[in-house]
Amino acid sequence: MRQTKYIMSEGLAFAEDKDMEKLRRYSLKGWHVSDFKLMGYTLKKGESSDYIYSVDYRSLKEDDEYFDLFSASGWSHVASTGDIHLFRAKPDTKPIYSDRDTAVEKYESSARSINYFVIPVVLITLLAWGGTMLSSGILHSILIVTAVISTAIAIPAAMTVIATYNNKWKIKEKKGLINLFKTIPVLLFLIAVFVLIYVRDIGVNILASMIIGAFAFPTAIWIFMSVYHKIGKKA
């Protein structure tokens, strides 16, 4: 029998609570997290235990006191990837973030970490697409390739940032901002479809196709994972 297995994450920025609850269910079955990356978790077979899981976002520079602080509060460090740290504890342990202010701070820290990566990528992407409209020949081809590659990175990265801020605004109960950012993906999708149908420019059409794919692909994965988990529960 396998002693390790890998499960997909639904995205911490998009479904953190679902991921943590899923890990708890696996622990009850004797599968405990031994490592994790942004796309999923590595589980190791052991004895069945009831653990609750939580993540924290913080940039560390050999700060042993950080983990000691969590340990003293009953939270054991499981694994880290980048500035994301996964902890587990017994169900009666006090939550890591027990009030609104600290919960907001958590997502602000997460957003700061992501912004260092996202802002340069988005700027490069915009400059590359702008360059494709002003160039020709070999330079145009190079910029098209650069723009496509950077867009493939920039769109999911930007969506992650938006989701992170959305989580913060939910805690702050800023419904206006939440509703505003919910409409942006829909508008972008509709604009991309319109452009793809009516605009006859290869560069613009590639960009529109990538925007459509950026929404369609995660949706397809979400549907697949939802069906997979429902079948798993029935089994």
Side-chain angles (χ1 to χ4, degrees):
M1 182 179 177
R2 289 184 305 163
Q3 294 300 307
T4 61
K5 66 179 176 180
Y6 181 84
I7 61 171
M8 290 287 291
S9 168
E10 294 187 38
L12 291 175
F14 305 94
E16 180 184 314
D17 291 340
K18 286 184 179 180
D19 267 20
M20 299 303 104
E21 184 58 35
K22 179 168 64 177
L23 295 180
R24 183 180 185 180
R25 291 198 302 270
Y26 272 103
S27 281
L28 288 169
K29 297 176 182 178
W31 289 98
H32 309 294
V33 183
S34 61
D35 194 15
F36 84 108
K37 304 296 180 185
L38 294 179
M39 293 299 294
Y41 308 87
T42 300
L43 307 182
K44 188 174 182 179
K45 185 63 176 175
E47 294 184 2
S48 175
S49 299
D50 189 3
Y51 290 122
I52 56 174
Y53 291 84
S54 185
V55 291
D56 188 38
Y57 307 92
R58 193 173 300 270
S59 178
L60 300 178
K61 294 181 180 179
E62 298 182 3
D63 190 353
D64 294 334
E65 293 183 1
Y66 170 77
F67 296 114
D68 291 341
L69 179 64
F70 279 89
S71 180
S73 302
W75 288 92
S76 301
H77 177 238
V78 177
S80 297
T81 178
D83 295 337
I84 307 173
H85 313 285
L86 179 66
F87 298 87
R88 74 181 184 188
K90 290 296 184 180
D92 57 350
T93 306
K94 183 180 178 180
I96 293 177
Y97 295 98
S98 55
D99 59 75
R100 191 170 79 167
D101 290 340
T102 55
V104 168
E105 182 185 346
K106 166 185 174 180
Y107 290 112
E108 287 178 343
S109 178
S110 173
R112 282 195 298 270
S113 299
I114 300 171
N115 283 339
Y116 289 130
F117 169 75
V118 173
I119 292 174
V121 171
V122 171
L123 288 175
I124 291 170
T125 302
L126 293 175
L127 289 172
W129 282 113
T132 62
M133 299 176 186
L134 301 173
S135 61
S136 60
I138 296 176
L139 178 60
H140 179 77
S141 300
I142 293 172
L143 287 173
I144 281 282
V145 173
T146 303
V148 168
I149 294 173
S150 59
T151 300
I153 300 170
I155 291 177
M159 290 172 65
T160 301
V161 170
I162 291 172
T164 301
Y165 278 103
N166 194 52
N167 290 333
K168 183 180 76 171
W169 293 328
K170 282 180 180 178
I171 296 171
K172 287 188 171 183
E173 298 180 351
K174 293 187 176 182
K175 295 182 180 179
L177 286 171
I178 293 171
N179 292 331
L180 173 63
F181 273 83
K182 280 183 178 179
T183 61
I184 290 177
V186 178
L187 288 174
L188 283 175
F189 182 83
L190 293 175
I191 291 171
V193 171
F194 177 85
V195 168
L196 197 61
I197 294 173
Y198 294 104
V199 177
R200 294 292 177 265
D201 181 277
I202 185 169
V204 175
N205 287 344
I206 290 173
L207 177 59
S209 298
M210 294 188 73
I211 291 173
I212 293 170
F215 293 108
F217 184 63
T219 302
I221 292 177
W222 178 81
I223 292 172
F224 172 79
M225 294 301 294
S226 298
V227 172
Y228 175 79
H229 286 304
K230 286 181 179 179
I231 293 173
K233 286 180 181 179
K234 290 180 180 179

